[in-house]
Amino acid sequence: MVFGSIRVLVREVLRRLEPYAFEPSDRELASLVGLRPDQIVRLDTNASPYYPKGVINSVCRSVSKIRLNHYPDTSYASLRHYISCYAGVGPDNVIPTNGADEGIDIVTRAFVEKGDEVLAPHPTYSYFRVSSEIQGAEFIRIDSDDKFRIDIGALISRASERTSLIFLCNPNNPTGQSLPMREVERICSSVEVPVLVDEAYYEYCGTSAAPLIEKYQNLIVVRTLSKAFGLAGIRIGYLLASEETVDLLNKVRPPNSLGVLNIAIAERALRDPQFVKRFVERIAGVREWLYRELASIKSLEVFPSRTNFLLVRLLKGDSQDLWTRLLKRGLVVRRFASDPMLRNCLRITIGEMKHARVIANVITRYIEDAEGEV
Ligand code: PMP
């Protein structure tokens, strides 16, 4: 590859890599339909409409005491303490990360090499594939059925000597479904490779593999404050694993990837996480209302969800047209143009009730129009 006048060798895997599809900016989206950026409501990233104002205000009041001229404590001892109390594991079972995505990268860097196979049910969170392929691995998708039920038996029997990692997203993005813990245990006990369980949406579902990390040495859990805590902007996530695995993962994690301000906010939020329950209850209420509204539409399939989003499939009409109709009202939802299994599907983040009402109205009218066209 030539940059200016310099010829640069680029790793072969990067030439072929289909990168993560970055979300377009508010400005870009607004310009498509003649709106202002401040009229755009993001219902495509599964972030929260709420954030803990009390936590932020309290950190702001003492911000002058935060030593911005110094690096963070690289062992993140204090943050690990708060995470360990919250997650019910020991502090030596915790690695704080710059969002769950960095946690995923740390795990693939530790375990996945060129020529390896990495397995995951399909469809699932697309960054699993990207992170694995950057390591030079072949990413193997184990297709779910047409109701998005995961084929655990197929996943287990596909594991071979070439397999170096299995990903499981529980509850799963983008389908919203969760696996019972006995199925997670079945996988961990049947394979001899690391199993990374992504629990980014844990708080919405309430069941976790975290208590199993000592029982299954190959189990690693990754979580985040981006979703239920309403803190996507501070980029804090964490890995939970056995002490032995934590020691290994610490060898590859970057030394100072968490900012001191973000650490201070995360610690304050984790010290008194009662607000998370209130946020989750509000979101679950809106989700159940929207689920019922959408489930009553004949030519629309809505998948039950234990997360802060709903996946829908249009049985009439075209998801791209509906996406544009919603965008004209300022509402951005997630589409899946290139995935045949998610054909005509949209993923809607649960936001405020007033936006859920508009979503329900626009979708109802769109489907009525589409049914009328037959
Ligand atoms: N895992 C899953 C399943 C997700 O949906 C997301 C959010 N896109 C992430 C990880 C990334 O989370 P974070 O903001 O903590 O990097």
Side-chain angles (χ1 to χ4, degrees), residues 20 99-101 104 125 169 173 198 200-201 224 226-227 235-236:
Y20 186 78
D101 283 344
I104 293 167
Y125 181 42
C169 188
N173 176 9
D198 182 332
Y201 302 95
T224 178
S226 292
K227 310 297 181 184
R235 313 301 305 125
I236 300 279

Side-chain angles (χ1 to χ4, degrees), residues 46 172-176 201 305 307-310 347-350:
N46 298 340
N172 190 31
N173 176 9
T175 64
Y201 302 95
S305 166
T307 63
N308 65 337
F309 56 83
L310 286 173
R347 192 194 66 197
I348 306 159
T349 302
I350 305 299

Side-chain angles (χ1 to χ4, degrees), residues 53-305:
K53 294 193 182 74
V55 167
I56 306 297
N57 289 341
S58 140
V59 175
C60 284
R61 278 195 297 274
S62 54
V63 76
S64 58
K65 293 201 198 99
I66 298 174
R67 303 195 317 157
L68 297 174
N69 53 328
H70 283 273
Y71 284 100
D73 159 22
T74 305
S75 77
Y76 305 128
S78 169
L79 179 56
R80 282 194 293 121
H81 162 76
Y82 288 112
I83 293 172
S84 79
C85 296
Y86 176 72
V89 299
D92 293 335
N93 298 115
V94 178
I95 300 180
T97 59
N98 191 290
D101 283 344
E102 188 188 60
I104 293 167
D105 278 341
I106 289 172
V107 172
T108 57
R109 283 170 68 195
F111 292 108
V112 180
E113 280 186 320
K114 187 163 183 245
D116 289 352
E117 285 180 354
V118 174
L119 313 183
H122 183 76
T124 194
Y125 181 42
S126 57
Y127 194 64
F128 299 157
R129 176 191 60 75
V130 177
S131 186
S132 306
E133 288 184 351
I134 289 171
Q135 291 304 109
E138 190 182 343
F139 189 76
I140 312 275
R141 300 177 162 111
I142 310 295
D143 279 347
S144 303
D145 70 10
D146 58 354
K147 295 285 177 217
F148 298 125
R149 282 176 299 233
I150 292 172
D151 190 342
I152 304 286
L155 185 70
I156 291 169
S157 54
R158 186 62 182 75
S160 70
E161 299 96 76
R162 273 185 68 196
T163 310
S164 57
L165 181 63
I166 294 178
F167 280 106
L168 209 58
C169 188
N170 198 34
N172 190 31
N173 176 9
T175 64
Q177 297 175 16
S178 70
L179 274 182
M181 262 327 118
R182 69 182 135 72
E183 298 288 26
V184 177
E185 288 204 61
R186 195 175 137 211
I187 299 169
C188 293
S189 60
S190 312
V191 298
E192 285 176 350
V193 293
V195 179
L196 179 57
V197 181
D198 182 332
E199 295 186 351
Y201 302 95
Y202 150 68
E203 285 84 359
Y204 296 103
C205 128
T207 51
S208 171
L212 301 171
I213 53 172
E214 289 299 348
K215 183 168 176 193
Y216 301 103
Q217 290 287 311
N218 56 342
L219 171 65
I220 306 165
V221 174
V222 64
R223 292 198 195 151
T224 178
L225 304 199
S226 292
K227 310 297 181 184
F229 279 72
L231 290 169
I234 71 164
R235 313 301 305 125
I236 300 279
Y238 52 95
L239 292 162
L240 307 173
S242 70
E243 289 182 25
E244 218 180 331
T245 306
V246 161
D247 286 345
L248 185 79
L249 296 174
N250 268 327
K251 289 189 178 174
V252 299
R253 78 161 166 90
N256 292 302
S257 60
L258 272 55
V260 287
L261 255 177
N262 298 338
I263 291 172
I265 295 169
E267 287 179 1
R268 181 65 186 73
L270 285 157
R271 213 168 72 196
D272 187 11
Q274 279 306 314
F275 70 90
V276 180
K277 278 208 183 91
R278 292 197 297 278
F279 286 2
V280 166
E281 272 164 24
R282 264 190 259 167
I283 298 276
V286 178
R287 182 190 67 208
E288 290 317 297
W289 180 86
L290 186 60
Y291 180 86
R292 280 196 301 276
E293 291 292 309
L294 298 180
S296 69
I297 303 173
K298 207 169 86 227
S299 301
L300 188 78
E301 195 170 3
V302 196
F303 296 91
S305 166

Side-chain angles (χ1 to χ4, degrees), residues 338-349:
S338 62
D339 189 334
M341 271 201 90
L342 293 167
R343 202 186 57 78
N344 241 6
C345 287
L346 293 174
R347 192 194 66 197
I348 306 159
T349 302

